[in-house]
Amino acid sequence: MIPLFGEAAAFTAALCWATSSMIFSNIGGKAGAQTVNRGRLACSIFCLTVLHLLLEGSPWPAAVSWEQLGWLSLSSIVGLVIGDAMLFQAFVLIGARLSMLLMSTVPIMGAVLAWLLFDETLRPIEIAGIAFGVSGVLIVILGKKGRPVGLGGRNYVLGILFGLGGAIGQVANLITAKYALIDGYSALSATWIRTLVAVIVMWGIAILLGRVRRTVTACIAPDVGKWLLLGALIGPAIGVWLSMAAVQNANVGIASTLMALPPVLLIVYEGLVMRKPVGWQAVAGTCLAFAGVALLFMH
């Protein structure tokens, strides 16, 4: 195995998700969030089929045990279907900042569950790396301008619960996928199966709600379709594939810490590329997060 391959895969997955999130946020206002969600899954299964053909020699997985199929289906439902739906609802109720704050608990929960379920142990330098990474993400999220105001009451409580549900869904997604990948099963094949399950569930719901025609019409619009395909290739296809490779080849706690970096990476993009002003909290948090990344790569 290539040294630090799992950690490199996790960090690259974070880069992919940061990039795709910018693409999806731009087209989400044009086509609608749920429409984009269904469209990106359909595009990603197409991209994954092409990748699988090129890299594995067949357009879809050749063989998978019933046990692996069960774990991968469960991973897809709790992560790509339920977890993402809860996170989106948290965005609506309490805003992106608090939602991402709750999602930053994923590495902690992931490390604890991996210790309980897989006997994965972390050295002090790795624990420090996780602590730095999570702290950096928290500082960036809490310090960015434009915090939601007027939050309170029932919607606030529901938003917190949905946000925690999204975080738990992400942890459950990583843990259940690890069970399927534990015998060296292809991460790309696992990603193809998980995505297909999500496509069947999400488009099945669209059929029941009578929203298929509306979704297809919105997704093939000239100013949406090409960006949807690009975002699906970068995020749900390559990014999710790399996340499976990460949990297969690295400790879940380390992998989930590295994959929690998209909000930090987006701050770097805004400051260096878009030339938008960022506060000292964002700079400090970014430096702390990348210090954590460095520690995780030093073990």
Side-chain angles (χ1 to χ4, degrees), residues 71-92:
W71 283 117
L72 290 171
S73 298
L74 181 60
S75 173
S76 176
I77 291 172
V78 298
L80 297 179
V81 178
I82 298 175
D84 284 356
M86 285 192 169
L87 181 59
F88 176 78
Q89 192 60 37
F91 284 151
V92 173

Side-chain angles (χ1 to χ4, degrees), residues 13 17 41 44-49 51-52 56 59-61 64 68-69 71-73 75-76 80 173-174 177 180-181 185-199 232-248:
W17 290 336
L41 286 171
S44 65
I45 195 64
F46 169 76
C47 296
L48 285 168
T49 300
L51 285 173
H52 205 281
E56 301 282 348
W60 47 75
V64 61
Q68 286 173 317
L69 182 60
W71 283 117
L72 290 171
S73 298
S75 173
S76 176
L80 297 179
N173 157 38
L174 295 174
L181 297 167
Y185 187 69
S186 167
L188 182 56
S189 295
T191 304
W192 190 94
I193 293 171
R194 291 176 71 250
T195 306
L196 180 64
V197 171
V199 167
L233 174 62
I234 296 172
I238 296 177
V240 174
W241 167 31
L242 288 171
S243 75
M244 293 295 96
V247 298
Q248 186 176 35

Side-chain angles (χ1 to χ4, degrees), residues 78-108:
V78 298
L80 297 179
V81 178
I82 298 175
D84 284 356
M86 285 192 169
L87 181 59
F88 176 78
Q89 192 60 37
F91 284 151
V92 173
L93 292 172
I94 60 176
R97 187 152 355 279
L98 284 177
S99 301
M100 291 303 296
L101 171 62
L102 294 168
M103 288 297 290
S104 67
T105 62
V106 167
I108 300 171

Side-chain angles (χ1 to χ4, degrees), residues 3-291:
L4 300 177
F5 174 75
E7 290 82 353
F11 184 70
T12 309
L15 286 171
C16 289
W17 290 336
T19 303
S20 65
S21 69
M22 290 187 289
I23 295 174
F24 290 139
S25 64
N26 287 334
I27 62 177
K30 302 174 183 177
Q34 291 302 325
T35 296
V36 169
N37 191 24
R38 288 189 289 267
R40 74 183 176 93
L41 286 171
C43 289
S44 65
I45 195 64
F46 169 76
C47 296
L48 285 168
T49 300
V50 174
L51 285 173
H52 205 281
L53 177 62
L54 294 175
L55 299 177
E56 301 282 348
S58 64
W60 47 75
V64 61
S65 70
W66 284 107
E67 182 180 1
Q68 286 173 317
L69 182 60
W71 283 117
L72 290 171
S73 298
L74 181 60
S75 173
S76 176
I77 291 172
V78 298
L80 297 179
V81 178
I82 298 175
D84 284 356
M86 285 192 169
L87 181 59
F88 176 78
Q89 192 60 37
F91 284 151
V92 173
L93 292 172
I94 60 176
R97 187 152 355 279
L98 284 177
S99 301
M100 291 303 296
L101 171 62
L102 294 168
M103 288 297 290
S104 67
T105 62
V106 167
I108 300 171
M109 292 189 286
V112 172
L113 284 176
W115 171 61
L116 293 173
L117 298 175
F118 300 113
D119 293 325
E120 291 186 356
T121 56
L122 297 172
R123 296 190 299 159
I125 190 172
E126 295 168 341
I127 295 174
I130 290 177
F132 279 24
V134 173
S135 299
V137 172
L138 294 182
I139 291 173
V140 169
I141 294 169
L142 292 175
K144 194 178 176 184
K145 297 177 181 179
R147 296 184 185 181
V149 295
L151 293 177
R154 181 172 177 270
N155 282 347
Y156 179 76
V157 175
L158 286 176
I160 295 295
L161 292 176
F162 276 122
L164 287 173
I168 293 171
Q170 175 67 5
V171 175
N173 157 38
L174 295 174
I175 295 294
T176 50
K178 181 102 176 177
Y179 275 111
L181 297 167
I182 210 163
D183 293 324
Y185 187 69
S186 167
L188 182 56
S189 295
T191 304
W192 190 94
I193 293 171
R194 291 176 71 250
T195 306
L196 180 64
V197 171
V199 167
I200 293 172
V201 173
M202 294 297 291
W203 282 86
I205 294 173
I207 291 172
L208 292 176
L209 296 177
R211 295 177 180 171
V212 172
R213 179 178 295 182
R214 184 192 312 173
T215 299
V216 173
T217 301
C219 289
I220 62 175
D223 57 343
V224 173
K226 59 184 179 182
W227 291 108
L228 186 62
L229 185 60
L230 178 61
L233 174 62
I234 296 172
I238 296 177
V240 174
W241 167 31
L242 288 171
S243 75
M244 293 295 96
V247 298
Q248 186 176 35
N249 294 281
N251 283 338
V252 172
I254 293 175
S256 55
T257 298
L258 293 169
M259 289 186 286
L261 287 175
V264 177
L265 298 173
L266 289 172
I267 287 292
V268 175
Y269 174 80
E270 287 184 0
L272 298 180
V273 180
M274 301 299 292
R275 302 293 182 182
K276 292 182 179 180
V278 294
W280 68 266
Q281 299 99 325
V283 176
T286 299
C287 292
L288 189 59
F290 280 107

